[in-house]
Amino acid sequence: MDTPPLLTDRAALERHRLRAARAPELFLHEDAAAELEERLQEVNRTFTEPALIAAFPEPWREILPEAKIVADTDVLDLEEGAHDLVVHALCLHWANDPVGQLVQASRALKPDGLFIGVMFGGQTLNELRAALAQAEAAITGGLSPRIVPMGEIRDLGALIQRAGLALPVADAVTRKVTYETPLRLLSDLRAMGETNALAARDRRFLRRDVLTEALRLYIETYQEPDGRVRATFDMVWLTGWKPHPDQQKPLRPGSAAQRLADALGTTEHPSGDKPGSA
């Protein structure tokens, strides 16, 4: 069987992350970590053996100070059945095999253990994508992969079930960030370690005329009333539980003990009939 092409150049990704670590800009990680804390409080359970899969673990340590820190390599350093909580923290979008990452996380969970993952979703940086694509197509007549492709929430939600996790939930939190100029956005992406590490990327520097036109289009199209420009970050949250016999299970179709009409206090009419019709 042919091996599918790699999405990510891991060596390049690690270089970008090491460069970012010198002066990191981790406000999105801090925001997501605060969201994680709220979600864990809603679960109302104490986790004593957590694992954290993260490229920049510092903001997450405040929420999970006792967690085992695991790098997001293709093969995760996780022991089977060793954890009651596994968190995949804003790096799953760079995975060459997202399903494989979730399967490994699932295997590392104890029965009734919880998996929570957050990753950038399909609407992330849609403004930058559009401006770069329009500028490059107009000037060079072609397109180069410049931003990692990110999944839509419906597709990402299906990954949880494929990984064998029960009670799957997928939802998204969208953050709108504004910048004085698009160049400030590019600077932040560099400091986040989120610059282009695609295996199929063009190794040459982006042409100056393409960049200049992309910046012009960005300002022209995405400027806010206050003169700043917006950038979208779409954070998709994935939640699932390691199967356990005592877990809540969905009812079989037709097994309801009460009619919906009775619960709502309304009159049920056969399909096709309207109230008051002869």
Side-chain angles (χ1 to χ4, degrees), residues 19 141 177 257:
R19 180 181 62 196
V177 182

Side-chain angles (χ1 to χ4, degrees), residues 9-233:
D9 180 345
R10 291 293 306 188
L13 181 63
E14 291 303 324
R15 288 197 302 271
H16 296 172
R17 288 173 172 176
L18 286 172
R19 180 181 62 196
R22 300 170 193 161
E25 182 52 83
L26 301 178
F27 68 93
L28 289 174
H29 289 258
E30 293 164 358
D31 181 81
E35 176 78 16
L36 171 67
E37 184 174 30
E38 292 182 9
R39 290 171 183 250
L40 290 176
Q41 289 173 352
E42 292 175 358
V43 172
N44 194 27
R45 180 184 297 188
T46 300
F47 296 99
T48 59
E49 296 172 289
L52 173 65
I53 305 165
F56 295 97
E58 290 75 14
W60 307 87
R61 287 182 191 272
E62 298 184 17
I63 311 302
L64 299 170
E66 303 301 323
K68 175 182 178 179
I69 307 301
V70 179
D72 65 321
T73 50
D74 291 340
V75 179
L76 300 174
D77 182 21
L78 290 171
E79 181 183 346
E80 185 171 350
H83 302 282
D84 54 4
L85 172 67
V86 174
V87 175
H88 211 304
L90 275 184
C91 48
L92 190 57
H93 55 285
W94 283 113
N96 283 309
D97 181 9
V99 176
Q101 292 273 301
L102 295 183
V103 168
Q104 292 178 73
S106 176
R107 288 175 178 167
L109 287 170
K110 298 179 177 182
D112 206 30
L114 175 62
F115 170 82
I116 298 183
V118 57
M119 61 189 295
F120 291 123
Q123 296 304 307
T124 299
L125 298 176
N126 66 80
E127 303 90 350
L128 182 59
R129 294 174 193 271
L132 283 171
Q134 187 175 344
E136 190 169 21
I139 293 174
T140 70
L143 292 176
S144 299
R146 303 207 175 271
I147 299 176
V148 63
M150 302 173 196
E152 299 295 336
I153 186 170
R154 179 181 300 177
D155 299 326
L156 295 173
L159 300 183
I160 312 173
Q161 291 178 303
R162 290 181 61 186
L165 293 167
L167 305 175
V169 176
D171 64 284
V173 177
T174 301
R175 300 297 190 217
K176 299 284 186 179
V177 182
T178 62
Y179 290 91
E180 184 177 354
T181 69
L183 283 174
R184 286 296 306 156
L185 166 62
L186 297 180
S187 176
D188 262 11
L189 293 177
R190 184 181 178 93
M192 294 176 192
E194 294 291 343
T195 46
N196 192 354
L198 290 169
R201 72 190 183 281
D202 188 340
R203 263 56 172 184
R204 297 169 296 182
F205 287 111
L206 180 63
R207 284 175 44 170
R208 182 179 295 273
D209 54 352
V210 174
L211 177 59
T212 300
E213 176 63 6
L215 297 178
R216 185 192 70 78
L217 288 169
Y218 201 119
I219 294 172
E220 178 183 277
T221 310
Y222 303 110
Q223 191 172 58
E224 298 286 278
D226 62 359
R228 296 168 69 86
V229 295
R230 71 175 183 270
T232 299
F233 293 92

